[in-house]
Amino acid sequence: DAGVIQSPRHEVTEMGQEVTLRCKPISGHNSLFWYRQTMMRGLELLIYFNNNVPIDDSGMPEDRFSAKMPNASFSTLKIQPSEPRDSAVYFCASSFGDSNYGYTFGSGTRLTVV
Amino acid sequence: AQSVSQHNHHVILSEAASLELGCNYSYGGTVNLFWYVQYPGQHLQLLLKYFSGDPLVKGIKGFEAEFIKSKFSFNLRKPSVQWSDTAEYFCAVSVLGGYQKVTFGTGTKLQVIP
């Protein structure tokens, strides 16, 4: 099992540019979560999907952020336009069922917006 | 909605010292409880989890946690820490049923001095 795969591992972009983060969950997992981690705010849940359907996006900071899950094996988190305060590590996690089994996290994408 | 409190933000111990990290949750119903560990520069990994049954849960690397329902607590313990335990530890809670998300605490940074 390859685990949760995120790409890219690192992204440096200029303010105003569009950024797309990608996640491939573990095969068979039907829930997917996007988290953001910063020193100031800790680990924040941005959005989560169940069976490819967004269930709770209340953590998405603002309209510049959007997430999609077109199929069970792929999800994207897009920031357009990006701002320096978006700099953080973005983690994707997946689980089977209703979280009883805990999450499996990806290695994260470290985003730096300059 | 459920919430999690970790009161120790930064703990410094010498090798072989005993560890106890506090975790309290807020929710009136049945919960699942987790401890995750994040080693420097890495993603979160599941350390142990409690669903039901024996309130003393044993996890990997010699860690254990005790669920005390009357105190809404799920403290993490290890009798003798090693330098390799230096990491950030997150307590998390989810509630049963439905599309339940896991809510994370703010984390406790553990530094073990050789």
Side-chain angles (χ1 to χ4, degrees), chain A residues 35-38 41-45 89 91 105, chain B residues 38 44 90 104-106:
Chain A
Y35 281 87
R36 177 172 69 176
Q37 187 177 38
T38 61
R41 295 173 178 265
L43 202 60
E44 302 173 276
L45 176 65
V89 180
F91 287 104
F105 280 81
Chain B
Q38 186 177 29
L44 277 78
F90 293 87
F104 287 85
T106 51

Side-chain angles (χ1 to χ4, degrees), chain B:
Chain B
Q2 67 269 31
S3 65
V4 181
S5 297
Q6 292 181 248
H7 303 295
N8 309 108
H9 297 294
H10 197 180
V11 173
I12 302 174
L13 294 174
S14 298
E15 273 193 317
S18 64
L19 169 72
E20 181 160 2
L21 301 183
C23 172
N24 288 92
Y25 68 92
S26 172
Y27 186 74
T30 304
V31 296
N32 300 321
L33 295 158
F34 309 86
W35 275 98
Y36 285 82
V37 59
Q38 186 177 29
Y39 297 103
Q42 296 189 26
H43 59 280
L44 277 78
Q45 302 170 49
L46 184 64
L47 202 53
L48 50 79
K49 58 191 176 189
Y50 170 82
F51 297 154
S52 63
D54 189 345
L56 185 61
V57 180
K58 293 192 184 299
I60 60 173
K61 304 186 180 186
F63 286 91
E64 65 178 31
E66 185 174 13
F67 172 49
I68 303 179
K69 190 173 181 179
S70 60
K71 295 184 178 180
F72 296 89
S73 70
F74 190 56
N75 292 355
L76 181 71
R77 300 195 293 249
K78 186 170 183 179
S80 176
V81 294
Q82 300 172 314
W83 176 78
S84 57
D85 294 325
T86 295
E88 189 160 14
Y89 293 82
F90 293 87
C91 183
V93 63
S94 71
V95 299
L96 292 183
Y99 304 123
Q100 303 306 330
K101 63 185 181 184
V102 175
T103 300
F104 287 85
T106 51
T108 297
K109 283 188 168 65
L110 171 65
Q111 183 180 355
V112 180
I113 301 171

Side-chain angles (χ1 to χ4, degrees), chain A residues 16-77:
Chain A
Q17 296 297 306
E18 177 180 296
V19 175
T20 299
L21 311 181
R22 297 173 177 79
C23 175
K24 177 177 165 49
I26 290 176
S27 177
H29 282 189
N30 62 351
S31 293
L32 183 139
F33 308 82
W34 281 102
Y35 281 87
R36 177 172 69 176
Q37 187 177 38
T38 61
M39 290 288 290
M40 292 297 295
R41 295 173 178 265
L43 202 60
E44 302 173 276
L45 176 65
L46 300 178
I47 184 171
Y48 77 100
F49 296 85
N50 184 268
N51 293 326
N52 312 338
V53 176
I55 301 300
D56 184 352
D57 65 354
S58 59
M60 296 285 262
E62 48 199 273
D63 291 345
R64 297 185 296 107
F65 285 69
S66 62
K68 294 182 180 179
M69 192 164 186
N71 56 62
S73 59
F74 184 65
S75 176
T76 60
L77 177 68

